[in-house]
Amino acid sequence: MTVKNIFESMDYGEAPEAAGDALTWLADRGPVFGHFIGGKSVPPRDDFASNNPATGEKLAGVTKGTPEEVAAAVAAARVAQPKWAKSGGHARARVLYAIARLMQKNARLLAVMETLDNGKPIRESRDIDVPLAIRHFYHHAGFAQLMDTELPDQAPLGVCGQIIPWNFPLLMLAWKIAPALAMGNTVVLKPAEYTSLTAMVFSEICTQAGVPPGVINIVTGDGETGAALVASDVDKIAFTGSTAVGRHIRQATAGTGKALTLELGGKSPYIVFDDADIDSAVEGLVDAIWFNQGQVCCAGSRLLVHEPIAETFYAKLRARMDRLRVGDPLDKSIDLGAIVDPVQLGTISKMVAGNTAGTTYQPDTALPATGSFYPPTLITGLNTADTLMQEEIFGPVLVSTTFRTPAEAVELANNTRYGLAASVWSENVNLALDIAPKLAAGIVWVNATNLMDASAGFGGVRESGFGREGGWEGLQAYTKPKTTPKPLKPIATYAGKGGPTDALDRTAKLYIGGKQARPDGGYSRNVYGKNGALLGQSSLANRKDLRNAVEAAHAAKGWSKTTGHLRAQILYYIAENLSARADEFSKRLDALQGGKSGNKEVEASIQRLFTYAAWADKYDGAVKGVPMRGVALAMNEPIGVIGCLCPDEAPLLGLISLVAPAIAMGNRVVLAASDPFPLAATDFYQVLDTSDVPAGVVNILTGDHTDLAPHIAKHLNIDAVWSFSGADISKTIEQEAAGNLKRTWVNNGQARDWFSTAGEGKEFLQAATQTKTIWVPYGE
């Protein structure tokens, strides 16, 4: 073809990237790779192959980690951790900086190796994955430097087990390792079975950067190796992968005391309004769904188009699809590379072939004769209940439907069990910023897609997981308070000796939807003081009472939309009314607990209400310093409905220490009151009745925590569970919470001093909120 013909046809020419250096690296150091444990490569075994998905050819052999090898890596990390933590923030910053510099030096090797191993286009590896991975190490070197001064009350968790997927092997490695090391932890990382080779290059970089032996350990293997790491003696598991595996990990770690963060699947909406720049929205959609062949957890795989422009938009989109090029990932002019493995290709093909709804369009695009390739696909005219509108395909397949109004767009967008990301396209900034907070997603892009940075938190809600990676909020997952907890001493219910104090029935009812309610089962139990006197009866709630309380809490969803100022005023009002009845509550607490500290507890409760009234309009978000012309807004949003099992000790203060931060941040709560001292809570709802608390914002149940806990934890309409109960229920809660992967905060049998600073503060505010990052580019 002549130059003239090229200019006339405007066809792309081939622009191959040389793979010789990467293949030489593999040949010189392989072709079989072992684990990296204690700063050394261990003898390898050719247990399974790492193949080039574009050709099917074997690149290298990889060792499958055994439980014994995982344990050896964890032991090496355990030995190295104390010294690494004590080395100080500056020493850790220097090491992270050295890693970043060496990654820059080896950027082309890393990019080519990533493309060979994963199948993504070299342009994406070279221009996105590798630079962003380097950025994470640079950015977290800064966090390490600042930890001693900015996080003086925080300590590292210890040894972190980290399991990453195959779609972004190097980038996910950086997301996990950089913050863990910055905060003084050591790590054992397991790459995905399909894509271990950039981790092997990284292990060599670690040696060159002077990473102390045992600080970073890499164990290769499949799901069985990952399961061994989850079961090992680590202090935290950080997992990125499928929702199904995340659910198994939640159950496996239940009751172990291991910290857990999960970044899981998604079915992210891509919403286009009729005033959007259609050409820009189409181009953005190419990046949203066909970037990395659609093998992206936050891919904009659900297109929602405003009905007036739907046909125009679809026509432009099909025309753009016709120009997409599928082929050799090492060709710089290729748009879509290879699917990571024939198994994944088969999954995508089966899901599309099994769909009988809507209209499917695939351009007449030539696919390579060998390798795992799939054409870009568009399926229009689907209903929101159709399987492909609900299930994650994890491939280059876009599904679509239309909407008529902004309210319908939000309803359709949120009609999924996932909640990872969303994109909103509109030239009306008022509309865009009105829609963004309404979307159930951890990250929202306005007139953009797939924007990421180390300074901005990334993570999901609902069944897309919990926890954030990146930014200050991401560091929370790798630190813990500098405290030495003590074992919790259970409090037994007091036995009675005497009869009723008067002839009237003093059975305290439940408090549901702003009203006193009789228990569904009709049962109650006597409540005795320490001296054996009968103080009253408390109702025994069952799962139907819980159902009613959760329904009342959901009916009060308007509370989440109120201003912080309004919530502050109501909290002050609660404190004022409690103060007016301080003597009464003090006497009740003394009678219940058999002491003389009731006055102290009431005064502490009033002060705690004031504390969270003060925080209600001051716990604000941040504007992230992302490297773009625009802003990334980190907004603290309420979680929704929180189920709380209150402490047995300090029955009034413990209850208020949970309810106050929760409602201050806009949540609604369902409380299980102190089991041995429930009457403190039933007295308190009389204060709520006179304090302008809207019906359903606070609901109070009484009864046995052991009976209530599993129902609270597995209720699909409860968004988080906090338990500071004296009962041994932490494992039960974490196991049952796996159903909808709700957030949990449990005490694992450890005591908390509710009268000290441990009983209040930002730890509670963080637990009561989730960060939504809204990216807003600006300029023409």
Side-chain angles (χ1 to χ4, degrees):
M1 179 176 288
T2 66
V3 173
K4 179 182 179 181
N5 289 337
I6 292 174
F7 272 106
E8 288 177 349
S9 68
M10 293 302 290
D11 285 338
Y12 285 100
E14 293 185 358
E17 174 71 36
D21 289 344
L23 294 174
T24 298
W25 191 96
L26 289 172
D28 289 346
R29 292 157 179 82
V32 180
F33 291 88
H35 313 305
F36 182 70
I37 299 175
K40 298 179 181 179
S41 295
V42 303
R45 299 185 303 273
D46 195 356
D47 292 331
F48 60 90
S50 187
N51 298 321
N52 183 341
T55 64
E57 298 174 352
K58 181 177 179 179
L59 294 169
V62 183
T63 303
K64 175 182 174 179
T66 65
E68 293 75 19
E69 290 166 334
V70 169
V74 172
R78 183 70 64 191
V79 170
Q81 196 275 323
K83 186 175 180 180
W84 176 247
K86 292 178 182 178
S87 66
H90 177 65
R92 297 195 297 273
R94 291 177 68 92
V95 171
L96 288 166
Y97 177 77
I99 292 174
R101 294 288 288 141
L102 284 166
M103 289 179 71
Q104 280 186 313
K105 180 180 179 180
N106 293 279
R108 187 53 62 98
L109 171 63
L110 289 166
V112 174
M113 192 72 75
E114 194 82 326
T115 289
L116 286 173
D117 204 22
N118 171 274
K120 65 177 60 184
I122 185 64
R123 287 187 296 112
E124 296 177 8
S125 299
R126 180 196 65 197
D127 299 340
I128 299 173
D129 291 27
V130 173
L132 190 51
I134 295 168
R135 159 79 171 150
H136 271 265
F137 281 99
Y138 272 130
H139 191 73
H140 285 86
F143 278 133
Q145 181 73 27
L146 296 174
M147 181 182 180
D148 294 339
T149 57
E150 298 303 311
L151 299 170
D153 298 326
Q154 296 298 109
L157 292 171
V159 177
C160 300
Q162 303 177 324
I163 304 171
I164 59 175
W166 44 258
N167 55 342
F168 292 94
L170 184 66
L171 184 55
M172 291 295 103
L173 176 151
W175 280 22
K176 295 285 190 290
I177 290 181
L181 264 60
M183 296 295 101
N185 303 280
T186 54
V187 303
V188 178
L189 179 129
K190 191 203 83 68
E193 177 183 0
Y194 298 146
T195 53
S196 301
L197 299 186
T198 44
M200 297 295 98
V201 179
F202 180 78
S203 68
E204 184 172 286
I205 288 174
C206 290
T207 301
Q208 297 173 13
V211 178
V215 170
I216 295 176
N217 305 273
I218 298 173
V219 179
T220 54
D222 57 10
E224 292 181 356
T225 306
L229 181 55
V230 170
S232 68
D233 181 30
V234 295
D235 301 295
K236 173 187 169 59
I237 291 293
F239 173 76
T240 297
S242 73
T243 296
V245 174
R247 187 173 284 112
H248 286 304
I249 292 174
R250 170 70 286 177
Q251 293 171 330
T253 58
T256 63
K258 295 174 184 175
L260 178 65
T261 50
L262 300 173
E263 195 266 282
L264 307 175
K267 193 71 177 177
S268 301
Y270 190 96
I271 307 169
V272 183
F273 286 95
D274 60 355
D275 65 344
D277 181 335
I278 295 180
D279 291 330
S280 295
V282 167
E283 201 60 33
L285 189 53
V286 171
D287 287 333
I289 182 59
W290 292 304
F291 174 65
N292 197 20
Q293 299 73 250
Q295 300 168 125
V296 184
C297 53
C298 58
S301 57
R302 248 184 338 137
L303 172 62
L304 308 178
V305 187
H306 211 165
E307 197 171 277
I309 61 166
E311 291 308 315
T312 300
F313 190 89
Y314 289 146
K316 287 179 175 287
L317 179 58
R318 294 188 188 101
R320 184 66 179 88
M321 292 172 65
D322 291 340
R323 301 294 293 175
L324 293 175
R325 304 181 75 240
V326 183
D328 180 7
L330 286 172
D331 185 345
K332 301 182 189 70
S333 63
I334 285 298
D335 297 303
L336 280 78
I339 303 301
V340 71
D341 189 85
V343 172
Q344 180 63 17
L345 176 63
T347 299
I348 297 167
S349 302
K350 183 177 180 180
M351 291 185 73
V352 175
N355 174 64
T356 58
T359 302
T360 300
Y361 178 77
Q362 292 178 330
D364 186 17
T365 301
L367 301 181
T370 59
S372 301
F373 293 90
Y374 196 85
T377 302
L378 169 66
I379 305 176
T380 57
L382 294 180
N383 294 317
T384 189
D386 289 331
T387 299
L388 294 190
M389 285 290 285
Q390 292 292 328
E391 297 301 323
E392 187 177 33
I393 303 170
F394 222 66
V397 181
L398 176 67
V399 297
S400 180
T401 191
T402 61
F403 66 88
R404 294 183 179 181
T405 66
E408 186 184 7
V410 171
E411 184 176 357
L412 290 172
N414 291 341
N415 189 1
T416 172
R417 68 181 191 273
Y418 297 108
L420 188 53
S423 293
V424 179
W425 289 78
S426 171
E427 290 298 286
N428 182 344
V429 68
N430 293 322
L431 175 62
L433 293 181
D434 177 58
I435 295 296
K438 297 176 181 178
L439 299 175
I443 184 169
V444 179
W445 297 291
V446 174
N447 294 331
T449 191
N450 280 340
L451 298 177
M452 307 285 179
D453 187 64
S455 67
F458 178 88
V461 299
R462 295 178 171 177
E463 293 190 29
S464 290
F466 47 81
R468 295 292 181 264
E469 297 188 272
W472 288 100
E473 53 269 40
L475 296 179
Q476 297 170 16
Y478 289 98
T479 62
K480 62 182 179 181
K482 283 183 178 178
T483 57
T484 304
K486 298 179 181 179
L488 185 66
K489 296 180 180 179
I491 300 175
T493 301
Y494 294 135
K497 299 176 182 177
T501 55
D502 58 49
L504 296 176
D505 180 12
R506 297 298 183 186
T507 302
K509 298 181 178 66
L510 309 175
Y511 188 67
I512 298 174
K515 298 178 181 179
Q516 298 183 38
R518 296 183 185 278
D520 173 77
Y523 292 104
S524 62
R525 70 174 178 86
N526 291 337
V527 179
Y528 296 96
K530 190 174 183 179
N531 63 1
L534 179 64
L535 302 179
Q537 293 83 31
S538 68
S539 299
L540 295 176
N542 62 21
R543 60 186 180 86
K544 291 186 178 180
D545 298 312
L546 172 64
R547 177 200 64 190
N548 295 338
V550 173
E551 289 179 354
H554 273 273
K557 61 183 179 181
W559 178 251
S560 297
K561 300 177 182 178
T562 58
T563 65
H565 174 70
L566 175 61
R567 296 195 294 271
Q569 296 307 301
I570 290 177
L571 282 163
Y572 282 129
Y573 199 13
I574 296 172
E576 178 184 338
N577 287 328
L578 178 59
S579 180
R581 298 177 58 181
D583 289 343
E584 175 187 342
F585 275 85
S586 176
K587 292 177 182 177
R588 171 70 92 177
L589 291 169
D590 287 342
L592 285 168
Q593 300 177 91
K596 296 183 179 181
S597 61
N599 184 62
K600 177 184 175 183
E601 185 171 345
V602 173
E603 182 57 33
S605 299
I606 294 168
Q607 290 187 25
R608 196 134 297 167
L609 287 163
F610 265 71
T611 294
Y612 290 111
W615 272 117
D617 58 358
K618 298 176 184 65
Y619 189 63
D620 44 25
V623 178
K624 301 292 185 172
V626 293
M628 60 170 280
R629 185 169 174 78
V631 295
L633 308 174
M635 301 177 61
N636 292 324
E637 294 188 332
I639 295 171
V641 176
I642 302 177
C644 301
L645 292 113
C646 299
D648 287 348
E649 72 280 17
L652 179 64
L653 178 60
L655 180 149
I656 288 176
S657 296
L658 301 186
V659 70
I663 68 173
M665 295 296 102
N667 300 285
R668 294 89 69 200
V669 295
V670 177
L671 303 168
S674 169
D675 197 354
F677 309 124
L679 300 184
T682 56
D683 287 351
F684 182 68
Y685 64 57
Q686 299 171 17
V687 173
L688 297 176
D689 275 338
T690 59
S691 302
D692 292 343
V693 179
V697 170
V698 179
N699 304 274
I700 300 175
L701 307 179
T702 53
D704 189 330
H705 286 187
T706 304
D707 292 337
L708 290 171
H711 300 299
I712 292 174
K714 67 185 176 184
H715 200 297
L716 296 182
N717 286 329
I718 290 179
D719 303 298
V721 179
W722 300 353
S723 176
F724 295 93
S725 172
D728 183 16
I729 56 177
S730 295
K731 182 176 181 179
T732 297
I733 289 171
E734 291 183 329
Q735 283 181 328
E736 298 294 349
N740 67 344
L741 289 166
K742 59 172 64 71
R743 290 170 56 173
T744 60
W745 187 21
V746 298
N747 60 4
N748 289 304
Q750 301 297 315
R752 183 178 291 260
D753 183 357
W754 296 101
F755 290 89
S756 73
T757 55
E760 66 177 5
K762 288 190 176 181
E763 185 181 8
F764 289 80
L765 297 171
Q766 291 164 357
T769 56
Q770 53 200 8
T771 302
K772 173 179 284 183
T773 305
I774 301 178
W775 291 73
V776 187
Y778 52 73
E780 292 294 329

